[in-house]
Amino acid sequence: MKKKRETRVTITDLAEELNLSASTISRALANHPGISEATKRMVNEKAEKLGFTPNSIASSFRSKKTKSLGVIVPRIDIDFHSRVISGIEEFAYKTGYHVTIFQSQDSYKREKEIVKILQTKMVEGIIMCLAMETKKYDHLKKLTNSKIPLVFYDRTPDAFETNKVMINDFESAYVATEHLIQTGCKRLAHIAGNQSIGIFRSRLEGFKAALKANDLPIHEELIKETANLRYEEGVKCANELLELDELPDGVFCANDYTAASMVQVLNKHKISIPDQVAVVGFSDYPISKIIEPNLTTINDRAFQMGEAAAKLLIGQIEDSDSDIIDYQIITLKTELVVRESTKGIAK
């Protein structure tokens, strides 16, 4: 025997049960001062007994406030973006907002489709990191033209003014490379990210600038570009470096996944870290504290980046009555975290 499907209890149902108007029920549930305490108590007791829950979507249409944020990330399975999301959600929760997450999977087409969905104004603002494939920004300009508050983090567009939260990738890479130099490395390699992406170009430029500032040569054969900085790409780059006639004595990697693969390949070939080859990563992923030896890396403040992006966006939403838009660029300070993959080198 099939069980009859239960339907959601509505304000109309409560009104019929208590022989009151729907508007009286609604005001009683909202603790309206014009409704007596006895009526409020009666309505709330009946609502609890029948399992009534308010329809937040309908309420948001009436109030024109959804208290909802849309977040577009390239990939949730990347630790950096997971930590950014945690920062966004933490700040949003404290301020009464909820978050809906979308993944572009680094696809321009998918990013455009998500943006189109969010343009329905079911969200009050959007936080996003550009997809790897995104080179045109017309879909994003439509968002700004439609007055939907927008904040970018990490990968940001240069083509138009908007709110941005980022780090100084050039400076961070410079610090990481200079650390290798200060510990005695002279023949340095770099496993680079996709050079069509601004943040990875900046990391390569910071690497080269540190070499030049310390009068060290730039060996182009020691610079290996990857498409997505995946672990498998790091293994391939590490093996290519090991095939050279002369090993690098220091390697700066544009993320921790490729740095971890570099460490594992070196370990497999019984090459001592850091005595023969020192390794520095980028982002301070959990793997940096698991891999042996533990990885020196750059803490890119991902959680704080999420908090800052949410704070900036919600501030703009709450100040939506203002006719003046003051776009902000927030640059967070990174930190070099020194661990065993570079510590104690003496040359």
Side-chain angles (χ1 to χ4, degrees), residues 54-211:
N55 188 331
S56 59
I57 295 174
S59 298
S60 70
F61 276 122
R62 289 191 294 273
S63 67
K64 297 183 180 179
K65 291 286 186 182
T66 65
K67 304 289 277 188
S68 177
L69 308 178
V71 178
I72 308 174
V73 302
R75 295 173 60 91
I76 291 174
D77 60 355
I78 301 292
D79 184 78
F80 169 77
H81 297 295
S82 296
R83 288 183 289 143
V84 170
I85 290 168
S86 294
I88 292 169
E89 287 194 315
E90 184 70 18
F91 189 87
Y93 176 78
K94 289 176 183 175
T95 49
Y97 283 77
H98 58 273
V99 176
T100 304
I101 312 295
F102 297 84
Q103 291 188 90
S104 69
Q105 297 289 358
D106 273 320
S107 161
Y108 170 65
K109 180 184 176 191
R110 191 160 172 170
E111 181 181 279
K112 280 176 59 178
E113 290 169 353
I114 294 167
V115 166
K116 191 171 183 180
I117 292 167
L118 292 176
Q119 275 185 283
T120 60
K121 295 218 175 197
M122 284 303 293
V123 295
E124 291 192 60
I126 299 169
I127 297 171
M128 70 180 295
C129 175
L130 292 177
M132 283 270 197
E133 292 181 1
T134 299
K135 303 294 183 290
K136 295 184 290 185
Y137 307 119
D138 289 348
H139 60 304
L140 305 175
K141 289 177 182 176
K142 286 177 184 177
L143 281 178
T144 57
N145 291 339
S146 60
K147 309 299 182 187
I148 298 174
L150 181 60
V151 174
F152 288 90
Y153 76 89
D154 195 43
R155 302 179 207 157
T156 64
D158 296 323
F160 59 96
E161 276 194 310
T162 185
N163 295 301
K164 301 175 184 179
V165 182
M166 59 182 74
I167 61 172
N168 188 326
D169 288 280
F170 176 94
E171 181 184 89
S172 301
Y174 188 102
V175 167
T177 307
E178 191 161 62
H179 170 69
L180 286 168
I181 296 168
Q182 287 172 348
T183 55
C185 298
K186 291 182 171 58
R187 179 176 164 81
L188 275 77
H190 177 48
I191 298 181
N194 191 319
Q195 291 302 290
S196 69
I197 307 300
I199 61 171
F200 301 128
R201 285 198 305 272
S202 292
R203 291 177 197 180
L204 175 56
E205 288 165 5
F207 168 77
K208 289 181 174 181
L211 292 179

Side-chain angles (χ1 to χ4, degrees), residues 176-188 248-252 266 272-280 293-294 296 338-347:
T177 307
E178 191 161 62
H179 170 69
L180 286 168
I181 296 168
Q182 287 172 348
T183 55
C185 298
K186 291 182 171 58
R187 179 176 164 81
L188 275 77
D249 55 7
V251 184
F252 166 52
L266 291 171
S272 176
I273 307 168
D275 297 315
Q276 290 175 269
V277 181
V279 182
V280 177
N294 288 179
T296 294
V338 180
R339 298 192 181 103
E340 288 79 8
S341 69
T342 61
K343 193 182 294 182
I345 296 179
K347 294 187 180 178

